[in-house]
């Protein structure tokens, strides 16, 4: 069994409080590994190391090219260790092996993409306002400093890559706190970072609990920015704490994304796409297609086909390549999801699939909830408004495109949305009208590290990915350089200084 220490200042160390916990396999409850749990004191040491590393310029003073070579090497090492990382991701997070293979490949790809965006300090002349003989205006981007990155359990390695890649590309140093539920692959990544000889303190990785380790990081006066991915409730709390010293903040939070199927959609693709959008990773995705809105003229056919195909999805051991539906992350999550199913029942909505929790039989050692579908759901109900984060789909019907847009936007969230139609002009009009950070037309879940990703409304603040995502880790400075204008031409001085 593997044991993981905290990675602080280029060394693997024990927790100062000596707290060690087991991380469990969501499939059968077996112990996957032991890990040191970060205490507030450990976070403090990690922040000091990151601060020293940042202030010394050991990372931020390197050229973009040299930084890029480190990021590329990290990506290459992930690929070299892919088989091992895939297995560990399945064991620790309950990810199916098919998903985990993609996640590991995409984590490597993320480091590669961000290596191309490595910018560190860079500047350009603003030729649109510079005026020779009067002034030159320079726009300069500088790394924001020490970043505290906090990530959830649903994509443990990928989330770590999505935080470290842009932060490092911007020239920042980082303290990364993985979820206490899935520390394994983030700690394996710490091993990789150690192997590529990144200067000590540039990256520190410490799994720990939100309320002590996480909050200490958010409160820490030496942290310049918090990059958070997780629930909207915790995001709000973090924003309140960060307000104390106006810390820079990006929040990637929850969602309740609407998936609109128009009457002219390709039924075959739209049904499979809707199942993929909803049940990928058993619904534990922030941008899952959790609210399905179907045009009334195809509603009955669509729902019937959807349910028929959903019945063929096989729940089981996530290590088996034939498994479609894996376990949820924890018992607590099972109970939470079961509570929402109960709420849908009590509200009188018709359940056409699932509803059960594996409490006996082969899957009962794991955290299994059956893929569940409620139909004719009122969009104002609890199961249509709240993020369930499990395999529960709510379906409603609409009669006009305007109504579809209005139902889709009737939510506090705005992470993603989708439209299925053969008429791309019509679908594009709907996409323009949806209040969501990502809209797919005839697709779902396809994100690209070069395209901005993030939420409208309570789904978050800021964007990840691409040049925009790197700039979220930078401060912008305008430098005005006088070009030798003589005193007599500086009339504006006369507003204060007597001639
Ligand atoms: P969570 O909010 O409970 O925890 C996320 C992280 O925050 C964990 O590392 C946790 O330890 C930490 N944390 C908890 N309380 C904290 C506090 N008071 N201060 C500082 N840190 C704290 O979320 P989760 O259950 O791990 O993940 C599921 C949620 O994440 C869902 O809401 C999902 O939509 C969201 N999510 C969003 C995105 C996105 O990109 N928008 C991606 C993945 C997941």
């Amino acid at each position: 069994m593997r044991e993981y220490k905290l990675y602080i200042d280029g060394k693997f160390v024990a927790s100062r409080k000596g707290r060690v916990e087991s991380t469990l396999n969501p499939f059968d409850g077996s112990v996957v590994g032991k890990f040191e749990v970060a205490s507030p004191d450990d976070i403090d040491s990690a922040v000091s190391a990151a601060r020293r590393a940042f202030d010394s310029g050991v990372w931020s003073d390197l050229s973009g090219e040299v930084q890029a070579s480190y990021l590329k090497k990290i990506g290459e090492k992930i690929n070299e260790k892919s088989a091992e990382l895939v297995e560990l991701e399945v064991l620790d997070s309950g990810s199916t092996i098919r998903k985990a293979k993609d996640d590991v490949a995409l984590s490597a790809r993320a480091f590669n993409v961000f290596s191309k965006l490595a910018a560190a300090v860079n500047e350009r002349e603003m030729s649109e306002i510079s005026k020779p003989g009067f002034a030159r205006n320079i726009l300069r981007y500088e790394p924001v400093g020490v970043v505290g990155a906090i990530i959830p359990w649903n994509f443990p390695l990928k989330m770590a890559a999505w935080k470290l890649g842009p932060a490092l590309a911007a020239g920042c140093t980082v303290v990364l706190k993985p979820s206490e539920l899935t520390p394994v692959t983030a700690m394996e990544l710490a091993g990789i970072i150690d192997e590529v000889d990144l200067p000590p303190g540039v990256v520190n990785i410490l799994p720990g609990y939100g309320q002590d380790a996480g909050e200490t990081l958010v409160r820490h006066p030496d942290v310049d920015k918090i990059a958070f991915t997780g629930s909207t409730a915790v995001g709000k709390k973090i924003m309140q704490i960060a307000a104390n010293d106006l810390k820079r903040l990006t929040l990637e939070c929850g969602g309740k994304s609407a998936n609109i199927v128009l009457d002219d959609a390709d039924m075959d693709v739209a049904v499979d796409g809707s199942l993929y959008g909803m049940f990928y990773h058993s619904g534990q995705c922030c941008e899952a297609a959790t609210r399905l809105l179907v045009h009334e003229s195809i509603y009955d056919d669509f729902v019937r086909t959807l349910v028929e195909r959903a019945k063929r999805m096989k729940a089981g051991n996530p290590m088996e390549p034939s498994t479609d539906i894996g376990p949820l992350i924890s018992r607590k999550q099972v109970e939470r999801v079961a509570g929402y199913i109960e709420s849908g029942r009590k509200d009188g909505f018709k359940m056409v699939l699932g509803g059960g929790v594996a409490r006996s039989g082969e899957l009962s050692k794991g955290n299994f909830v059956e893929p569940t579908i409620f139909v004719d759901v009122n969009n104002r109900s609890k199961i249509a408004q709240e993020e369930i984060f499990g395999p529960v789909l709510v379906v409603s019907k609409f009669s006009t495109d305007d109504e579809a847009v209005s139902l889709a936007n009737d939510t506090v969230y705005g992470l993603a949305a989708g439209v299925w139609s053969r008429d791309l002009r019509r679908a594009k009009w709907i996409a323009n009208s949806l209040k969501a950070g990502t809209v797919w037309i005839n697709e779902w879940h396809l994100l690209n590290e070069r395209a901005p990703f993030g939420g409208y409304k309570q789904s978050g603040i800021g964007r990840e990915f691409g040049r925009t995502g790197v700039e979220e880790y930078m401060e912008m400075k305008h430098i005005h350089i006088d070009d030798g204008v003589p005193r007599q031409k500086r009339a504006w001085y006369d507003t204060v200084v007597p001639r």
Side-chain angles (χ1 to χ4, degrees), residues 95 110 122 132 138 202 237 292 344 389 419 434:
S95 192
N122 70 92
I138 309 287
V202 173
K237 205 166 178 189
L292 176 59
F389 226 58
V419 192
L434 293 169

Side-chain angles (χ1 to χ4, degrees), residues 56-125:
S56 71
V58 68
W59 180 250
S60 57
D61 284 354
L62 296 178
S63 67
E65 287 75 25
V66 176
Q67 292 174 345
S69 69
Y70 278 103
L71 293 177
K72 227 167 143 246
K73 257 191 256 165
I74 297 172
E76 283 163 8
K77 289 259 177 204
I78 292 176
N79 276 331
E80 277 166 30
K81 299 193 174 186
S82 158
E84 189 185 350
L85 289 169
V86 167
E87 187 180 339
L88 290 170
E89 196 75 317
V90 173
L91 293 173
D92 198 35
S93 73
S95 192
T96 60
I97 190 156
R98 274 151 44 209
K99 169 185 171 285
K101 280 183 180 166
D102 285 348
D103 288 353
V104 172
L106 290 171
S107 303
R109 188 177 89 174
F111 278 105
N112 199 29
V113 168
F114 286 111
S115 78
K116 298 196 174 100
L117 293 166
V121 175
N122 70 92
E123 51 186 50
R124 70 169 176 88
E125 174 134 11

Side-chain angles (χ1 to χ4, degrees), residues 150-155 159 162-163 177-181 208-216 218 228-235 237-238 241 251-255 284-287 333 336 387 389 413 415 453-455 459 464:
I150 300 178
I151 54 172
W153 43 260
N154 56 344
F155 291 83
M159 290 290 155
W162 287 1
K163 293 286 181 256
K177 192 204 81 61
S179 167
E180 63 278 13
L181 295 169
Y209 285 86
Q211 266 158 12
D212 52 3
E215 279 196 27
T216 303
V218 181
F228 169 78
T229 298
S231 61
T232 294
V234 173
K237 205 166 178 189
I238 285 177
I241 300 171
L251 300 174
E252 295 289 340
C253 298
Q284 301 170 110
C285 295
C286 50
E287 31 67 274
Q333 192 66 7
R336 181 183 144 89
E387 186 184 47
F389 226 58
Y413 295 108
L415 192 55
F453 174 62
S459 285
E464 295 202 292

